[in-house]
Amino acid sequence: MKLITSAIFISIVLFTGCADKSFVKTVDNKVAKYVDIQEVKERVRDDGLLEIQINAQNDTDEYKLFKYRVDWQDKDGFLIPSLSSKWADFPAHKNSSFKINVVAPSPKATTYQVYLSE
Amino acid sequence: MKMKILTASALCLALLSGCADKVSKIDLNNDKGEQVFGLDYRDFQQAASDATQSMLHSAALSKPGGGRYILAISDIRNDTMQHIDTDQLIKKIRIELLNSGKVYLTTAVGSEEDRMNKKVRELRKDDEFRNSSISKKGTLVAPDMSLSGKILQRNINMSNGKQQVEYYFMLTLTDLTNGFATWEGETIIGKRGSGKSVAW
């Protein structure tokens, strides 16, 4: 019985932890082949808005156009609707590094999930 | 005879219905539909997203000492050959800016004016309304900032018989205390296709 209670407790803790986590995820294998994510930077600006920057590299000999979108959440894990949650095109020039820079839609945004796709 | 006519009519109707093209709903979150020469919702979404991100990146909307600016929407001209409502662009920008906590949008003046602001004040003379429930004099707040702009279209006929259509979304944010343009943004959307197509 104790074991079950502990398992449930750990599951809840893990689940809650996952809900509030920020990450950058490539949801398409094709994109993963040419987008090499090297660093994800974030800062809270003086005006309270969270700003993120993804530093990445296209190591191939081809220019690529991919899409990205960002979901923003408040401290309680609730989604903040925003235009940046819609897919937007982004260019990756051949053999070049590139930076995706996005500002949160509201000072309430504390976490983000960035998705990259073809 | 009557029965034959009825059967023939029913058959014709069934055949006609069968031939009609099926209509499908657009998945706005993952639209893989072909591009069109004219402006569609994807173009407005891109232009609005670019503009708001650019505004938020700049310090133009950050009020020194905190708080919000009062923003009025000025003239947004449609200089394209299409019958579009510029609200398709502006509404998205308004929503995003309002949610950002940087501004309050006023509907007291400007192109988005809500006449009810004035009409409700005219009720002061009407005895049928409780006077204390009507907005007092001097309660409307004048805007600090104004957003203006235009959407421009250029059609170019190419030597290979194709056609290029360029759309320019140009926006300016003006500080109304001194008339300075504190932010300017431009998004260009270009489309290329058959010269036989019409871009309006």
Side-chain angles (χ1 to χ4, degrees):
Chain A
M1 186 62 190
K2 247 186 181 177
L3 198 68
I4 294 168
T5 316
S6 304
I8 292 169
F9 178 73
I10 289 168
S11 301
I12 289 169
V13 169
L14 281 173
F15 185 74
T16 316
C18 287
D20 294 331
K21 209 175 161 190
S22 295
F23 60 77
V24 179
K25 188 179 178 184
T26 306
V27 295
D28 196 312
N29 283 338
K30 280 185 193 166
V31 176
K33 280 179 189 161
Y34 59 82
V35 172
D36 175 22
I37 297 163
Q38 296 174 329
E39 189 184 14
V40 181
K41 297 173 85 171
E42 61 175 77
R43 65 177 175 187
V44 178
R45 307 183 333 167
D46 291 343
D47 59 5
L49 293 178
L50 180 62
E51 181 178 7
I52 59 168
Q53 182 169 290
I54 298 149
N55 297 343
Q57 175 94 19
N58 173 8
D59 286 325
T60 70
D61 286 330
E62 273 183 80
Y63 166 84
K64 301 282 186 184
L65 188 70
F66 66 96
K67 294 185 294 186
Y68 77 95
R69 67 181 190 86
V70 190
D71 279 343
W72 300 93
Q73 274 119 51
D74 65 17
K75 63 179 175 51
D76 300 316
F78 280 85
L79 188 73
I80 299 171
S82 143
L83 284 173
S84 51
S85 297
K86 309 282 182 192
W87 288 111
D89 289 338
F90 201 88
H93 295 278
K94 65 177 184 178
N95 297 312
S96 302
S97 62
F98 59 91
K99 294 172 171 60
I100 304 172
N101 186 287
V102 195
V103 176
S106 158
K108 290 176 188 164
T110 54
T111 52
Y112 56 86
Q113 288 87 48
V114 183
Y115 299 96
L116 310 180
S117 181
E118 182 86 326
Chain B
M1 183 64 184
K2 237 183 188 179
M3 195 59 193
K4 271 185 183 169
I5 292 168
L6 272 173
T7 313
S9 306
L11 264 172
C12 284
L13 270 175
L15 279 171
L16 276 173
S17 313
C19 291
D21 283 337
K22 275 187 184 170
V23 176
S24 59
K25 195 171 178 180
I26 299 170
D27 179 358
L28 300 182
N29 298 306
N30 188 30
D31 188 357
K32 299 209 187 313
E34 293 290 312
Q35 281 289 332
V36 290
F37 259 132
L39 288 170
D40 73 5
Y41 78 95
R42 290 171 287 192
D43 304 317
F44 288 110
Q45 203 164 277
Q46 185 193 327
S49 184
D50 287 355
T52 49
Q53 270 296 312
S54 174
M55 268 188 255
L56 292 176
H57 267 110
S58 79
L61 291 175
S62 295
K63 197 172 185 178
R68 294 183 183 212
Y69 282 120
I70 314 292
L71 177 67
I73 305 298
S74 184
D75 297 326
I76 311 288
R77 279 208 327 265
N78 170 22
D79 277 352
T80 71
M81 297 161 200
Q82 296 165 56
H83 294 289
I84 54 169
D85 188 334
T86 53
D87 256 357
Q88 287 177 274
L89 173 72
I90 296 305
K91 185 57 87 179
K92 290 177 182 60
I93 295 175
R94 287 170 63 96
I95 293 168
E96 197 79 347
L97 292 183
L98 196 59
N99 289 343
S100 75
K102 298 271 184 196
V103 296
Y104 287 116
L105 273 303
T106 180
T107 60
V109 287
S111 63
E112 302 284 327
E113 185 178 340
D114 184 346
R115 285 178 301 149
M116 197 53 71
N117 282 309
K118 298 264 169 65
K119 280 193 171 246
V120 81
R121 285 163 171 79
E122 286 166 14
L123 299 176
R124 287 180 192 131
K125 301 165 201 160
D126 193 333
D127 293 340
E128 293 299 325
F129 287 87
R130 195 191 312 148
N131 213 265
S132 61
S133 69
I134 302 168
S135 304
K136 300 278 176 286
K137 279 190 176 181
T139 47
L140 289 176
V141 181
D144 309 300
M145 305 278 237
S146 161
L147 184 69
S148 61
K150 65 178 171 182
I151 308 170
L152 195 75
Q153 176 179 351
R154 280 203 67 210
N155 283 22
I156 298 158
N157 291 318
M158 300 167 77
S159 53
N160 58 5
K162 288 197 169 186
Q163 183 185 195
Q164 180 167 305
V165 183
E166 298 167 0
Y167 296 101
Y168 298 81
F169 295 79
M170 300 163 163
L171 293 168
T172 301
L173 197 65
T174 303
D175 184 339
L176 295 173
T177 56
N178 50 27
F180 293 166
T182 54
W183 171 88
E184 305 235 27
E186 182 187 58
T187 296
I188 303 171
I189 291 174
K191 305 189 183 203
R192 201 172 286 150
S194 164
K196 291 168 189 164
S197 303
V198 186
W200 65 75

